[in-house]
Each structure stands twice: as C-alpha cells, then as structure tokens.
Amino acid sequence: MDLATFFQQLANAVSLGSLYALIAIGYTMVYGILRLINFAHGDVFMIGSYLAFYAISATAMPWWAAFPVALCLTAALGMGLERIAYRPLRDSPKISVMISAIGASFLLENVGIVVFGGRPKSFPSIALFDTVVKLGSVSVLSVSLFIPAITALSLLFLEYIVHNTKTGLAMRAVSTDLDAARLMAVDVNRVISFTFGLGSLLAGLGGIMWTMRYPQLNPLMGIMPGLKCFIAAVIGGIGNIQGAVLGGFLLGFLEIMIVALLPELTGYRDAFAFVLLILVLLVKPSGLLGKKQTVKV
Amino acid sequence: MLDIDKLSVHYGGIHALQGISLGVPKGKIVTLIGANGAGKSTTLKAIIGLVKPSTGNISFDGNSTKSLRTKDLVESGLVLAPEGRRIFPNLSVEENLSLGAFARKDKAEIARDRNKVHELFPRLEERKKQRAGTLSGGEQQMLAVGRALMAKPRLLMLDEPSLGLAPLIVKMIFGIIQTINREGVTVLLVEQNAKAALEIADYAYVLETGRISLAGSGPELLADDKVRKAYLGES
C-alpha cells in the first residue's frame, strides 16, 4: 500500500469511525441510565435517515432546514419509544424490557418496510457534501471531512451538557443510583426521556451523514450499523461515553484497514467487529474504559 | 406534622409492616428503634413514596401523601437521608450538595444553606472538589446529612445515621441532629443504636417484626426493663 492509498484509507477510517462513535454513544447513554440495551437504536438511526430523505424530497425545504426538522422528529421518536415500550416495564425484570426492545426493533423495521417501501431509495445529492476535495494526492468526498468535524462538535456539546448543566448533573445522578436521585427530587422520568431524546438525536445525525456517504436507504439499513455500534459501545466499556467513542473509532479503523491491507478478506468485513468483541470480552470483560462493577451491599 | 395510620407494606409474600400507626409532632425529635429487619427502613421508604403501601394512610401537614410522588414530597419539605448514605460516589462533594438542592430555584438561599452546611461540617468544605466515594465513612455520613439539609427540610428523616461509625463520630452526628432540630427542623430518626437515639428523642417507638410493640417518651423507654434487656444490652 503506497502512502497516498494509506491516507485515502485513513480518511475513510476516520469518517466511518466517527459515524460508529455517534451511534454508539446512544447505546451507552441509555445503558448508563437504565442498564438497558436499546436494541431499537439502529432502527431509530434508519428512521432518522428516512425522515431526512422525506424532509428534503417531499417538501421544498432546503437541506439546512430539512435536517434539523428530521433530527427533532428522530429525537421525538426515541422519546416516544421509551414512553411506550420501556417506561411501562420500568419495574419489570430486565429480561422483559430487553424483549420489548427487540420487539420495538422489529416493529420499526417492518413499519419501515410498509411505509417507506422495501425498495432502496437513493438520497438526493447535496452539492456542499458531495464534491470531491483534493488534499495533495488524496481525494475525498467533502462529506468525509464534515463527518469528523460534526462528530467532534457533537461530542463537545454532549460533554458540556453532561458536565456543566443541571440536567447533566441529574443524568449522572440517575445513572449511579436511581432511587437516591428520586430522593433528591430529581424528576427521573424526565431525565430518562431527555437521555433517549439526546441519544436518538445523535443517531439521527449519524443516519443523515451515513446516507450522504453511502446514499442508499432501505428499511433494514439500521441492523448492521446498529449491531456494530452496540459492539463498539461494549468494547469501549458500556455506560462510558468516551469508551463508546473509542470503540467506534477502533471498529472503523479495523474494518477499513484490514480490508485495505488484505483485500481478500473483504467478504468478511462485517465479521471483524464480532471477532474484536470476543477478544475484548475475553481479555477485559468490562470493556477497554469500563470500570469493574462493584456490587452494592 | 406527619401521621401514619395502620400502614401495611408487603414485599412479595412478606408482610413487612403489619398496620403500624405513629405520629411525629412538629418541632420534635421522634425515634423509631428496633432490630434488623423489623421494618424501620421500610417505614421510611413508604413515607417518602419509594415503596407502595398495601393499606393504611400517611399524611403530611394534614394532607394524604397517597397521590404524591417522591419529588413532590421532597419539594414540600419531607426529606430522607437514606440507609447506607447513598451518596453519589462518582460525583464531587460539591455536586452531591447541589443535588440535595436540585428542585430549589432560590439561588441566594441555596448559597446560604451551603454555607450553613459547611459551618456544620467544615470537612465537607475542605473536600468539596473531591469525589464523594473517596471520603471516609464518617465524612460520607456528614455528606448524606448535609445533602439532605440542602433540600431545606421541614421534616428530616434519617435512616441509621450511626451505622458503621466510630463512637466519637456518632456523638458528633447526634449533636448536629439536635442542633438542626433546635433550628426548627422536625426529626424522625430511625436507629439500631437505641441508646444514642433514645437520649436525644422526645418520643420513641419500638418496632418489632412489622408491629409497634412499645411507645413512650425517650426517658421512659430508657428506663423500661424490656427495652433495657432487648436493645440496650443490659440484663
């Protein structure tokens, strides 16, 4: 592999890693607060992409108006999902909530097939994101430069919310000890709802950028990225936001670089994530940045 | 101020509280003593809305608390410093105190109460940037009490504040409970350390396997033969 190709692949890896990171954060935030794997998260990502697609192609809105509308709707979808599928089961055994999450995932996929149609749709091209940029000998799509930048901004924004706002303080309290947070007069339901909204917003953002990079939409497009980002969150240490980002980048790099170095393994690219997951779980079950679970007495 | 009438709580098949009645008059220190598993913590959890009573009635300031959420109760001045302290170990001391005042909007008064907590527990001010999980047991208990005070309680409920602490620290915490009470906060104190609790209590109830078996003023119970045998370790 010559240097130019290497940089080319590096750019690809950074943008794929950024996308994985954005989606993985949603898994980790919900897990941090509810100890629940939101299996429908990948499908929220899918719906977010479709919402952006329809906002652009079915209305006369320019992209910079259509995207925020799609993002708000995606956040609302996440909050609605929590309200309908998870909140009623708050006091039920964990396994019931997990089954409900899997059910919600299938529901969204099949509603997607019915409403959006099973045939793939292509995302309209937006000039700003769809031009080829030459950096020396490397040429990349401009969206590949926007993706890491937007991911970095989202992370800063998230970090600010979690560590510098009252709601963020409440989120950290709820994630450590739900009942103790209740005793502090924290409105636990509001905090959980907010967390779902925020996570879904990021998934929607990831979805929009994903479809600009890989401009084909289909109702099952959320399954593989969803699974991989769940893996990214576990690898990084589920419940830990930095961990999710680390896991996302790690997966993105691994996937792109292995295929670049050993092209004969291209057919197995989706398997790398699972191999890495098994390896990390064998060596460090709590994930790279995860803390050992302490049992409360 | 707080009245409990024939309160029953079930956990699955266990009848944890079997129709207990008790009252906490305004301005007093009332204590609920009893052995492990007698139902003391359950009583407090039922009062604050963390467990649902099966039957019976609880009223605060004359109003039934049935339809109120924990959040509403805390905002109306009914505050619990829970068993095992339940501080947030991964948050700083300062953040723990801020969470105590979470529902309050009166910034100036919150700052004043923070100063007051720092006066009562100078240790907490010294360690305000430190993660709460790194504090010693005694300091964590101070934080739990300080955090509860940040909610501006009118009735403060404390669940075993002496648990696992050295006698000197226990003495200090109980002294502070009396100080808080003199400043107008009503106290409901749940304790296994019967002697320390009875010494500062105006009125006391003894809880035995989900039933109130005895009640009386602090000095009365301190002098009671049964109490001396069962809870004060005398023969």
Side-chain angles (χ1 to χ4, degrees), chain A residues 43 80 88 90 114 133 146-147 273:
Chain A
D43 305 298
R90 187 82 46 80
V114 171
V133 183
F146 278 106
I147 288 172

Short mmCIF file of all heavy atoms in Angstrom, two decimals, chain A residues 43 80 88 90 114 133 146-147 273:
data_model
loop_
_atom_site.label_atom_id
_atom_site.label_comp_id
_atom_site.label_asym_id
_atom_site.label_seq_id
_atom_site.Cartn_x
_atom_site.Cartn_y
_atom_site.Cartn_z
N ASP A 43 -32.54 1.06 14.49
CA ASP A 43 -33.71 1.35 13.66
C ASP A 43 -34.11 2.82 13.78
O ASP A 43 -34.65 3.40 12.85
CB ASP A 43 -34.84 0.42 14.06
CG ASP A 43 -34.40 -1.03 13.97
OD1 ASP A 43 -34.05 -1.47 12.86
OD2 ASP A 43 -34.31 -1.69 15.02
N GLY A 80 -40.61 8.84 22.35
CA GLY A 80 -41.87 8.12 22.27
C GLY A 80 -41.67 6.63 22.52
O GLY A 80 -42.44 5.98 23.22
N PRO A 88 -43.40 1.59 30.74
CA PRO A 88 -44.37 0.73 31.44
C PRO A 88 -43.72 -0.49 32.08
O PRO A 88 -44.30 -1.13 32.95
CB PRO A 88 -45.34 0.31 30.33
CG PRO A 88 -45.19 1.34 29.28
CD PRO A 88 -43.76 1.77 29.33
N ARG A 90 -40.70 -0.43 33.60
CA ARG A 90 -39.60 0.02 34.44
C ARG A 90 -39.36 -0.90 35.64
O ARG A 90 -38.23 -1.16 36.02
CB ARG A 90 -39.89 1.45 34.91
CG ARG A 90 -38.80 2.16 35.68
CD ARG A 90 -37.73 2.77 34.82
NE ARG A 90 -38.16 3.55 33.67
CZ ARG A 90 -38.60 4.80 33.71
NH1 ARG A 90 -38.71 5.43 34.85
NH2 ARG A 90 -38.92 5.43 32.62
N VAL A 114 -43.36 -1.25 5.36
CA VAL A 114 -44.71 -0.93 4.92
C VAL A 114 -44.79 0.53 4.46
O VAL A 114 -45.33 0.83 3.40
CB VAL A 114 -45.73 -1.19 6.06
CG1 VAL A 114 -47.10 -0.65 5.68
CG2 VAL A 114 -45.79 -2.67 6.37
N VAL A 133 -12.91 16.63 -2.82
CA VAL A 133 -11.89 17.56 -2.35
C VAL A 133 -10.54 16.90 -2.52
O VAL A 133 -10.37 15.72 -2.15
CB VAL A 133 -12.11 17.92 -0.87
CG1 VAL A 133 -11.08 18.95 -0.42
CG2 VAL A 133 -13.51 18.44 -0.65
N PHE A 146 -16.67 16.61 6.67
CA PHE A 146 -17.70 17.14 7.57
C PHE A 146 -18.00 16.18 8.71
O PHE A 146 -18.25 16.57 9.84
CB PHE A 146 -18.99 17.44 6.80
CG PHE A 146 -18.96 18.76 6.09
CD1 PHE A 146 -18.80 18.83 4.71
CD2 PHE A 146 -19.08 19.94 6.81
CE1 PHE A 146 -18.77 20.06 4.06
CE2 PHE A 146 -19.05 21.17 6.17
CZ PHE A 146 -18.90 21.24 4.79
N ILE A 147 -17.98 14.88 8.39
CA ILE A 147 -18.39 13.89 9.39
C ILE A 147 -17.55 13.97 10.67
O ILE A 147 -18.11 14.13 11.76
CB ILE A 147 -18.38 12.45 8.79
CG1 ILE A 147 -19.55 12.32 7.82
CG2 ILE A 147 -18.47 11.40 9.88
CD1 ILE A 147 -19.54 11.03 7.01
N ALA A 273 -15.86 -6.98 13.51
CA ALA A 273 -16.42 -6.38 14.72
C ALA A 273 -16.67 -7.46 15.77
O ALA A 273 -16.33 -7.29 16.94
CB ALA A 273 -17.71 -5.66 14.38
#
